[in-house]
Amino acid sequence: MIEERGRDTISSITNEVRQVPHLLGLLKKEPPLPEQPAMGFFTDTSLCIGCKACEVACKQWNQLPATTPDWTGTSYDNTKQLGATTWRHVQFIEQIGRRKPSETQAAAPVSKLPELDLFQSSVAQDVIPATPPGTALPFFSSDRWLMQSDVCKHCANAPCQEACPTGAIIRTEFDTVYVQQDICNGCGYCVVACPFGVIARDSGGDGQAHKCTLCYDRLKDGMTPACAKACPTNSIQFGEVATLKQHARERVGELQKHGVDSARLYGADDQILEGGLNSFFLLLDEPETYNLPANPSRPSTHVLPTSLGTIIAAVLMGLMSIFFFKKE
């Protein structure tokens, strides 16, 4: 009896020893994937027509649930903002009477627009009407729509990644910012750290943080992200970041050459977040008009001042307590 028990103990120990290499193998880290050129988006807002094809393509490919559209009361846009289930958002920014006439222009007589008969064809009269005074291209008109397909900026120094306590937010081999859903614990630190309001927790679902992945599954197969593939005007351009930035500067020069002096790039240089954005934009107005911060900050820049402030406050409290206790 004792011998049988000893044999069973020896066999169980032997089996456990045999499993040790397998368990150690599970602890080994896989070799990193070979680095690829940094990939990103260049969104040219001067070409966006607000069709929202990118929104639909993003939801279809990533199997994101549709949101119930409703009127915001401030815009014709019914998506409202980026969120956990909305990774592309086309903004509709209406500008009415944005150029106020100067005193000289106000004193000058205003030319009266020609009266056109809407029910009489000008072609039948063999008359080509001249352009009425006061009208111009949409770029120069006093009333216009600004449209922008907003998305995660995939920052070179991502604040959400700096704030993540679990290491769930990583950089892929394409230098994009990716959230590992099996590691995210839904703490929400990344939500408050993002200066662009991109990442959000799915409060009605799994409670974890979600955002644009730049179609990482498509990138691994050499495919274009769904939103850029569906864009009919080539407003969303995908490719290597270095090539896109060169093309973006040429596009700005072309627009400014034709009189669009307000054309500018946002995130194409290294000034924003001390490294720039891998998903940058061509804007036709100030960044604040598109709900973009002019000078966003990183969480790491606040560590030293906050720490010094805490130390100084602690020293002062200590000195005050010593003074009061000594007085008593």
Side-chain angles (χ1 to χ4, degrees):
M1 193 72 178
I2 297 176
E3 293 179 358
E4 292 180 358
R5 291 180 180 178
R7 292 174 184 175
D8 294 339
T9 303
I10 294 173
S11 61
S12 61
I13 294 174
T14 303
N15 293 331
E16 292 177 359
V17 171
R18 291 176 180 175
Q19 293 179 1
V20 169
H22 175 67
L23 296 175
L24 292 177
L26 296 176
L27 297 176
K28 291 182 179 179
K29 294 183 179 180
E30 296 183 0
L33 296 173
E35 292 187 5
Q36 303 289 338
M39 309 299 286
F41 289 125
F42 165 47
T43 303
D44 187 348
T45 64
S46 68
L47 300 176
C48 182
I49 59 175
C51 66
K52 289 183 176 285
C54 54
E55 285 191 20
V56 176
C58 179
K59 282 186 175 291
Q60 287 182 339
W61 178 260
N62 295 288
Q63 299 181 1
L64 300 174
T67 54
T68 303
D70 57 353
W71 292 105
T72 62
T74 58
S75 172
Y76 285 104
D77 170 32
N78 54 25
T79 309
K80 295 185 288 187
Q81 61 186 5
L82 294 171
T85 59
T86 302
W87 299 352
R88 269 279 180 187
H89 169 224
V90 179
Q91 294 179 342
F92 285 61
I93 304 169
E94 185 178 10
Q95 293 184 330
I96 303 297
R98 60 190 177 92
R99 288 197 182 96
K100 295 182 179 180
S102 60
E103 296 180 358
T104 305
Q105 294 175 342
V110 180
S111 58
K112 185 179 179 180
L113 296 179
E115 296 182 359
L116 300 177
D117 189 352
L118 300 179
F119 301 98
Q120 186 176 4
S121 173
S122 60
V123 179
Q125 299 177 353
D126 295 330
V127 176
I128 300 176
T131 303
T135 63
L137 295 174
F139 293 131
F140 308 98
S141 175
S142 61
D143 302 339
R144 67 177 180 177
W145 283 98
L146 294 178
M147 299 178 182
Q148 178 216 18
S149 181
D150 198 11
V151 71
C152 175
K153 314 307 182 286
H154 294 277
C155 315
N157 293 308
C160 60
Q161 185 182 14
E162 292 182 357
C164 181
T166 64
I169 302 179
I170 62 171
R171 304 199 72 88
T172 69
E173 66 271 25
F174 301 99
D175 201 27
T176 60
V177 183
Y178 183 83
V179 182
Q180 302 177 97
Q181 299 303 324
D182 57 335
I183 300 178
C184 176
N185 63 358
C187 65
Y189 289 170
C190 56
V191 178
V192 296
C194 177
F196 305 105
V198 170
I199 194 166
R201 292 174 63 249
D202 187 6
S203 57
D206 56 13
Q208 296 176 334
H210 300 271
K211 71 171 193 66
C212 164
T213 64
L214 216 148
C215 284
Y216 181 51
D217 50 348
R218 294 173 67 96
L219 293 186
K220 290 189 293 185
D221 291 332
M223 301 171 63
T224 302
C227 57
K229 186 74 174 180
C231 182
T233 62
N234 204 28
S235 172
I236 302 174
Q237 302 175 30
F238 166 77
E240 296 185 16
V241 174
T243 304
L244 290 177
K245 288 183 176 181
Q246 180 180 359
H247 173 65
R249 296 186 183 98
E250 294 174 356
R251 174 62 177 167
V252 170
E254 180 183 353
L255 289 175
Q256 292 180 347
K257 180 180 178 182
H258 288 80
V260 188
D261 298 330
S262 60
R264 70 199 70 192
L265 293 180
Y266 181 84
D269 52 23
D270 296 339
Q271 296 180 0
I272 292 183
L273 296 176
E274 304 174 8
L277 312 176
N278 285 351
S279 178
F280 54 95
F281 303 84
L282 186 152
L283 306 179
L284 298 177
D285 209 324
E286 298 291 337
E288 292 83 358
T289 304
Y290 298 86
N291 198 27
L292 293 171
N295 188 25
S297 61
R298 298 169 54 189
S300 58
T301 58
H302 300 285
V303 173
L304 183 59
T306 305
S307 300
L308 291 177
T310 303
I311 294 173
I312 294 173
V315 172
L316 291 177
M317 290 295 293
L319 293 176
M320 290 175 62
S321 61
I322 293 173
F323 174 78
F324 284 115
F325 278 119
K326 185 177 180 180
K327 186 177 180 180
E328 292 180 358

